[in-house]
């Protein structure tokens, strides 16, 4: 057919419905002919925060392959993080239907972020001229598939390298894994127009003005690593001090934080804002956006704050602080002298010393310093 080549080479054409009303692409030819170009599939089924952090690779991918179509497959709970992303063309959820579809396609590149058997098995099954990241060998073992993935792989094999020696951020060594030039690109996240309207309406409803100094507390973390969060009493201590300084306080979190936030709020009824925790991920991000500063552990909430370009005060104990880039908009709290930190343990044998030693007054002081700097949202990124 005369127009067949143009139609099939356009990334808008689906074969299901017309790209434009009253225009038959198949019969009349392609109207825009936006080239598919290099076809790239990103596999990222790990933690939701990691999925958001991986979006920082998208600008480099577009610099290397300006004419390209980017597909991304992730878990259902993480998919909303990728919606409305201007650099992603198609988001697949990891289910039988999507797996069947991507296995029938042919890609130029497939890039697997995760060191997990299911992600590696998926990479193995994809028809692609180039495969980057991690795959399974014939015995079901996870191995690096390209030279660029070797350092990333070594971090998982060597505790001393990961916990003591490494100073590179996750974005840095993931760029190397994907054979991209690392330029410290930021996360890519965009609200829809409706979400932007909701945010402005919500701020008016709760009485937040442009002049207000708003501090958001992301109080919890994933249930997978419960020791990433401060205690309820630590939150109460900080909030009491901040209320004396006339800051507006906002409690943030997901469904797993509902009871926790309710208990914190009960100590300050009517004096702080307790945002809903059960309205979905995108709505939760809307609520997080109303704050000037986010106080958080190493969690999805921290990664959301980074994506929103907020000033972030984050504490670390279980996880590796060097791997997180706050992009010069934040303060990292950690203790290099604590022999057991970081550890990535789900259960602590040492009575949670890393949490007990969090400098609560230091958090209050950092918030004061941030708001004292007029016409600036940047404070040097230092450790405590």
């Amino acid at each position: 057919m005369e127009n067949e080549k143009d139609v099939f080479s356009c990334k808008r054409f689906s074969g299901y419905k017309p790209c434009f009303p009253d225009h038959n692409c198949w019969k009349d030819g392609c109207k825009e002919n936006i080239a598919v170009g290099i076809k790239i599939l990103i596999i990222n089924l790990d933690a939701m925060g990691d999925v958001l952090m991986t979006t920082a690779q998208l600008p480099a991918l577009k610099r290397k392959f300006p004419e390209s179509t980017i597909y991304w497959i992730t878990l259902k709970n993480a998919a909303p993080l990728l919606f409305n992303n201007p650099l992603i063309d198609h988001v697949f959820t990891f289910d039988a239907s999507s797996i069947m579809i991507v296995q029938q396609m042919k890609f130029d590149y497939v890039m697997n972020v995760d060191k997990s058997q299911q992600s590696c098995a998926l990479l193995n099954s994809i028809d692609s001229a180039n495969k980057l990241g991690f795959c399974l060998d014939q015995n079901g073992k996870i191995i690096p598939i390209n030279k660029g993935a070797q350092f990333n792989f070594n971090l998982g094999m060597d505790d001393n390298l990961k916990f003591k020696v490494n100073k590179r951020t996750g974005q840095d060594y993931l760029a190397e894994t994907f054979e991209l030039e690392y330029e410290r690109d930021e996360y890519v996240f965009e609200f829809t127009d409706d979400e932007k309207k909701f945010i402005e309406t919500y701020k008016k409803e709760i009485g937040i003005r442009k002049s207000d100094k708003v501090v958001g507390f992301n109080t919890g973390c994933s249930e997978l690593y419960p020791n990433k969060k401060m205690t309820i009493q630590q939150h109460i201590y900080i909030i009491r001090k901040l209320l004396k300084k006339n800051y507006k306080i906002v409690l943030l979190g997901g469904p797993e934080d509902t009871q926790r936030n309710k208990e914190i709020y009960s100590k300050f009824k009517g004096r702080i804002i307790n945002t809903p925790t059960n309205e979905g991920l995108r709505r939760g991000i809307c609520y997080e956006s109303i704050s000037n500063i986010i106080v958080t552990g190493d969690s999805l909430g921290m990664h959301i704050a980074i994506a929103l370009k907020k000033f972030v005060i984050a504490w670390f104990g279980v996880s590796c602080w060097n791997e997180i880039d706050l992009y010069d908009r934040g303060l990292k709290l950690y203790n290099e002298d604590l022999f057991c930190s970081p550890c990535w343990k789900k259960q602590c044998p040492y009575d949670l010393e890393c949490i007990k030693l969090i400098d609560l007054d230091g958090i209050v002081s950092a918030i004061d310093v941030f708001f004292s700097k007029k016409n600036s949202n940047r404070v040097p990124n230092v450790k405590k």
Side-chain angles (χ1 to χ4, degrees):
M1 180 173 178
E2 183 180 349
N3 299 315
E4 183 178 302
K5 184 177 180 181
D6 285 345
V7 170
F8 288 158
S9 65
C10 178
K11 69 165 62 180
R12 288 180 62 102
F13 180 74
S14 69
Y16 172 68
K17 61 182 180 180
C19 303
F20 299 93
D22 304 318
H23 180 81
N24 187 331
C25 304
W26 186 257
K27 180 181 177 182
D28 303 323
C30 187
K31 197 170 183 178
E32 285 191 323
N33 195 21
I34 303 172
V36 171
I38 300 296
K39 292 167 60 181
I40 302 165
L41 175 65
I42 297 172
I43 300 171
N44 199 179
L45 310 180
D46 272 355
M48 297 167 75
D50 289 343
V51 170
L52 197 50
M53 186 167 68
T54 300
T55 63
Q57 304 304 319
L58 293 170
L61 274 173
K62 281 298 184 181
R63 286 195 297 271
K64 186 172 183 178
F65 306 110
E67 195 171 88
S68 58
T69 300
I70 296 179
Y71 304 79
W72 194 312
I73 186 163
T74 191
L75 297 180
K76 183 178 180 180
N77 64 347
L81 295 168
L82 306 176
F83 294 166
N84 200 48
N85 190 306
L87 301 183
I88 301 174
D89 296 282
H90 301 278
V91 177
F92 292 105
T93 57
F94 185 67
D95 54 30
S97 175
S98 292
I99 292 170
M100 283 194 299
I101 292 169
V102 297
Q103 286 177 336
Q104 294 301 310
M105 299 171 66
K106 186 171 184 178
F107 296 91
D108 297 289
Y109 285 86
V110 58
M111 303 178 175
N112 175 26
V113 179
D114 314 325
K115 284 174 269 188
S116 70
Q117 285 186 311
Q118 63 180 3
S119 296
C120 292
L122 180 58
L123 176 138
N124 283 17
S125 72
I126 300 298
D127 185 355
S128 177
N130 302 280
K131 297 187 177 185
L132 306 174
F134 306 96
C135 66
L136 286 187
D137 72 3
Q138 60 185 1
N139 296 314
K141 311 299 183 183
I142 298 166
I143 59 172
I145 199 169
N146 61 305
K147 184 178 179 181
Q150 189 65 54
F151 178 80
N152 192 341
F153 179 77
N154 290 344
L155 284 174
M157 294 290 101
D158 187 336
D159 283 351
N160 185 60
L161 175 62
K162 184 171 182 66
F163 296 155
K164 303 300 180 184
V165 176
N166 178 52
K167 304 299 179 186
R168 298 173 65 184
T169 66
Q171 295 96 308
D172 181 356
Y173 61 73
L174 185 57
E176 181 178 73
T177 302
F178 288 171
E179 300 178 355
L180 300 171
E181 290 294 327
Y182 175 63
E183 295 186 13
R184 207 183 176 201
D185 294 300
E186 299 225 21
Y187 298 19
V188 182
F189 176 88
E190 288 196 12
F191 287 118
T192 65
D193 289 340
D194 285 344
E195 287 168 337
K196 292 175 184 176
K197 290 176 183 176
F198 171 82
I199 292 165
E200 293 308 311
T201 300
Y202 182 72
K203 287 196 289 189
K204 290 178 182 177
E205 288 175 354
I206 60 177
I208 288 183
R209 301 162 298 179
K210 285 185 178 180
S211 59
D212 286 333
K213 300 173 180 180
V214 186
V215 182
F217 282 83
N218 176 56
T219 66
C221 61
S222 165
E223 294 176 343
L224 189 61
Y225 287 96
N227 295 330
K228 284 186 175 184
K229 56 179 178 279
M230 283 197 297
T231 67
I232 288 174
Q233 288 306 315
Q234 284 173 312
H235 280 99
I236 291 171
Y237 176 88
I238 297 172
I239 292 171
R240 278 185 178 147
K241 283 191 168 274
L242 294 177
L243 286 175
K244 292 177 182 178
K245 299 169 182 284
N246 296 317
Y247 296 128
K248 287 206 170 183
I249 307 300
V250 177
L251 300 182
L252 305 161
E256 66 278 6
D257 307 311
T258 303
Q259 186 57 41
R260 181 180 179 82
N261 287 6
K262 184 179 179 181
E263 187 171 342
I264 296 171
Y265 179 75
S266 70
K267 305 297 182 181
F268 307 100
K269 281 187 177 179
R271 301 174 63 201
I272 66 176
I273 299 161
N274 188 18
T275 63
T277 55
N278 291 289
E279 295 183 356
L281 179 55
R282 296 285 301 199
R283 188 54 57 88
I285 299 174
C286 291
Y287 292 130
E288 186 158 343
S289 74
I290 69 178
S291 301
N292 304 110
I293 289 182
I294 303 296
V295 182
T296 178
D298 179 6
S299 62
L300 172 61
M302 179 195 71
H303 288 286
I304 290 170
I306 295 170
L308 294 175
K309 297 179 172 58
K310 300 294 181 179
F311 187 86
V312 181
I313 299 175
W315 60 87
F316 297 81
V318 172
S319 56
C320 301
W321 49 85
N322 285 325
E323 295 187 357
I324 300 301
D325 192 346
L326 300 181
Y327 297 95
D328 305 318
R329 294 186 299 268
L331 175 71
K332 296 180 186 180
L333 301 173
Y334 55 90
N335 192 327
E336 281 185 305
D337 299 324
L338 196 60
F339 78 96
C340 56
S341 177
C343 66
W344 278 112
K345 292 183 183 296
K346 296 180 181 179
Q347 294 182 332
C348 177
Y350 302 112
D351 200 27
L352 286 176
E353 284 297 307
C354 60
I355 300 299
K356 289 180 178 179
L357 291 173
I358 294 173
D359 185 357
L360 306 183
D361 291 317
I363 292 175
V364 175
S365 297
I367 292 170
D368 289 339
V369 170
F370 170 81
F371 283 117
S372 71
K373 290 183 173 292
K374 294 182 180 180
N375 303 318
S376 174
N377 69 341
R378 289 175 179 255
V379 176
N381 184 23
V382 298
K383 74 181 180 74
K384 295 289 286 185

